[in-house]
Amino acid sequence: MIKYALRRLLSTIPVMWIAVTASFFVLRLAPGGPFDGERPLPPVILKNLAAHYNLDKPLIQQYLLYVGDLLKGDLGPSFSSEDFSVAQQIMIGLPYTFTIGTAAFLLAILVGVTVGCLGALYQNKTPDYILGSLILIGVVLPNFLIAPILQLIFGIHLAWFPVGGWGDGSLKFLVLPIIVLALPHAGRISRITRGSMIEVMNQNFIRTAKAKGIGPRLTVMRHALKPALMPVVSYLGPAASYLLTGSLVVESIFGLPGIGRYFVNAALNRDYGMVLGTVIFYMVLIVFLNLLVDIAYAWLDPKVRNR
Amino acid sequence: MNQFTKKFLASAMLGTLLAFSAHAATLNIHNGGDPQSLDPQKLSGDWENRIAGDIFEGLVTEDAKDNPVPGQAESWTISPDGKVYTFKLRDGIKWSDGQPVTAGDFVFAFQRLVDPKNAADYAYLQFTIKNAEKINKGEITDLSQLGVKAIDDKTLEITLENPTPYFLNALMHYTAYPLPKHVVEAKDQDWVKIGNIVTNGPYKPVEWVPGSHVTTVKNDQWYGAKDLKIDGAKFFVLEDQEAALKRYRAGEFDILTDFPTDQYEWMKKNLPGQAHVAPFSGLYYYVVNSQKPPFSDKRVRQALSMAINREVIGPQILGTGELPAYSWVPPGTANYGEPAYVSWKDLPYKDKVAEAKKLLTEAGFGPDKPLHAVLSYNTNDNHKRIAVAIASMWKPLGVDVELVNAETKVHYDQMQRGQVEIGRAGWLADYNDPDNFLNLLVTGVQMNYGRWSNPDYDKLIKDGNAETDLKKRAEIFKKAEQLALDESAALPIYYYVSKNVVSPKVEGFVDNIQDIHRTRWLSMKE
């Protein structure tokens, strides 16, 4: 298993190198530079800034310098935030993104699997229709629409939760962003679970379990749940990546200082260092999460484990 | 527990402590963008100025109405030729670490500002100081040649290139703030990090979470600390104005520094008296590429300008009542009086359109030969609305408009390269003086995106800036402004307004033309 994991990790190195190289050159080719803006800078200042960030050197030399620093573990300076390096900014944003993303991930699994199982157990009955409709709202409505609605209802009118911000990091600040982030994934997980569970429940070993007189709840918990979760686990890798990397809208609407916002702001500001830094960070994260999913898959399915 | 987790927990605990310890008089300000730095020589935005002006103080500072008042200097004298300013520093002024603020700290800061190796974006704002420009351009390498000298620890002498009537206003700008020489020299680039930074303003920063907020607390070493009514402020980063308004309604913000214009009517009804819309020293305008035919023809530029129905833009298109602009310098600008206006300002709109049609016909355009124009603007809903409206106003003239929008960086890159025909631009005054606007049309100035060039205009601006008599200076400047307007050098559209929302709990907030509201002048009701 360790050998398998190491092989997987090594195989990602060329992919990451290609991605870094492509990002580096595409960014430099994009029109507009990091120091363009409403107020143009005097040429002498531009020259000094370019020299400071190595932008006065030939492109290939800039690239080699960047890769050299990267191999030493240095993500370089940020062009738009001079008081923090790229690595420092990522380390500052990570706890916020990670807290919200992880909580949303767990909530999505809990709600999604529970609703999916109930839907399967009450297939084509009233609870199935009600839960199915509710969960469909989460899937269909984009989070930039749900977030303001929840802010209005629970933040302004009912005043149960703060409308935004991190505050002191207490749960009341996190409830709304976590729900908004988790909802679409909870919906998708519930649909996958429901479909998979219905399929498993029709299989012979479940019929055998039922014939032995085991109740429906026990049948589900003891025999059906594990195999029914296989497709869910496949979905968890991309879902986790999305939750940790795609929380931009939620971070923006709720004013949370996570990494997602850095990425878009950096791209708009042509902050080359920050864009590349976040691209690399996300790539590493996605590789790691996919690896975790593979391990979980192997744990659930003996056939994969013994391969 | 690793370092990273410790830091995270520590910042969360600090936030909690600050929240509780200063709850009663902490001002929560929606501040828009993320500050680039806390180093006053590395800033460029008004959101950064709000923080910098609370934590640093220059020789001269602003009162609640944005008038210059003594800051770190208790008094000053000006030589009869208007070129030498001698400042006497207050007794007992200190940095937040208890070290004295000396004239040497000002000399150090000014030298650092103009030193080209520091690449301070806004160094040019202090180019009125003797040799500042030459040092910044690398023509002089000896920093001691700068016209800023410490006579002793408490006396500072600044010599200017020319008498400059707005110099005291320019000293209120963050480029003129002193720096703690003892800390900058000891910590180098890290001097500005929380934990190292020391400041000389009413407040000092104690926390900065990029993407979230900067927290300040009262600086007990500041000479007026005992009179401060607000214990500290939290400057929140949030660029989504809709979300900011919701947080204001929920009581999470005390001041919004901007709001969605389409919410103004709703606010007037539901938050009466809280939305402050006031004249702001800024101009929204279109540049026309004067180097490119047919826009090099004055008649074409004037026709386009005359056909813009400015009266509907503020009230109807933006909804916040921005006033129509028929001058280049906004009314109310200091050292100027009433600006010059276009000669056709008071014509009825239909007459303006008729005259515009006539001008275009004379220039060779009409129904058989429509004028094709590309109108470029940077991505923003309001810019788009205005561009669409103006395109429709030009349609009756037979002008066929192609709208092009681009990100801000791309848009200004193209403007600087002269790649636009008609382009959207705006200018917010750095200091309260007509020169700050008139300079935008001088030949060769980088911000002269339309590349309009007129030697007479350039001479008038130069003569005006050399004139010591304020009245005569204003007259010369007005001639220059009239010349630019007669030539339709660019198309002024509206004067900006400042848009704040202020909670009824906050007292002392005074609307002013520079939209500067330092926390030191504010207080909060219990």
Side-chain angles (χ1 to χ4, degrees), chain B residues 489-524:
Chain B
L491 322 182
I493 295 172
Y494 67 78
Y495 309 117
Y496 277 109
V497 289
S498 56
K499 292 176 289 187
N500 294 286
V501 188
V502 184
S503 160
K505 282 189 297 184
V506 177
E507 293 182 324
F509 189 99
V510 182
D511 293 326
N512 62 64
I513 195 158
Q514 295 268 91
D515 195 23
I516 295 211
H517 312 277
R518 303 299 183 204
T519 307
R520 64 184 285 198
W521 304 113
L522 304 177
S523 58
M524 284 174 89

Side-chain angles (χ1 to χ4, degrees), chain A residues 27-255:
Chain A
L27 262 175
R28 293 300 203 279
L29 292 173
F35 310 120
D36 288 325
E38 283 201 45
R39 299 186 175 210
L41 298 176
V44 65
I45 301 294
L46 275 177
K47 203 174 144 203
N48 284 316
L49 284 170
H52 179 71
Y53 290 106
N54 290 327
L55 297 177
D56 56 343
K57 297 185 173 62
L59 198 55
I60 193 73
Q61 199 181 339
Q62 289 180 40
Y63 171 71
L64 292 173
L65 282 168
Y66 185 79
V67 173
D69 286 343
L70 196 60
L71 290 174
K72 286 184 253 167
D74 181 3
L75 291 174
S78 161
F79 288 52
S80 60
S81 181
E82 298 193 30
D83 295 358
F84 298 93
S85 69
V86 170
Q88 282 171 331
Q89 287 197 62
I90 289 176
M91 290 311 282
I92 290 168
L94 185 63
Y96 302 100
T97 300
F98 192 73
T99 306
I100 299 284
T102 309
F105 182 67
L106 295 175
L107 183 69
I109 296 174
L110 187 72
V111 173
V113 170
T114 309
V115 171
C117 287
L118 288 172
L121 283 175
Y122 295 97
Q123 192 189 349
N124 299 332
K125 291 179 186 158
T126 313
D128 184 26
Y129 292 133
I130 293 171
L131 287 170
S133 308
L134 282 175
I135 220 74
L136 202 63
I137 294 171
V139 177
V140 171
L141 290 183
N143 47 17
F144 62 81
L145 202 66
I146 292 183
I149 293 171
L150 294 186
Q151 281 177 324
L152 268 177
I153 298 171
F154 297 104
I156 295 175
H157 293 301
L158 297 173
W160 288 356
F161 304 110
V163 174
W166 181 261
D168 52 3
S170 62
L171 190 62
K172 65 177 180 178
F173 282 92
L174 310 184
V175 169
L176 294 183
I178 290 171
I179 290 174
V180 172
L181 201 54
L183 262 181
H185 296 283
R188 284 184 203 110
I189 289 171
S190 84
R191 293 181 73 80
I192 295 168
T193 308
R194 182 181 176 275
S196 173
M197 183 65 86
I198 289 169
E199 202 181 313
V200 170
M201 291 294 278
N202 286 328
Q203 289 190 10
N204 288 338
F205 72 97
I206 297 292
R207 279 198 210 110
T208 310
K210 282 181 184 168
K212 283 182 180 173
I214 302 173
R217 278 192 182 82
L218 209 58
T219 309
V220 168
M221 296 302 288
R222 191 177 288 172
H223 299 287
L225 193 58
K226 206 169 165 183
L229 283 181
M230 294 292 285
V232 176
V233 171
S234 305
Y235 173 74
L236 292 184
S241 310
Y242 180 83
L243 284 167
L244 289 172
T245 60
S247 53
L248 163 77
V249 175
V250 172
E251 287 175 8
S252 183
I253 293 176
F254 288 96

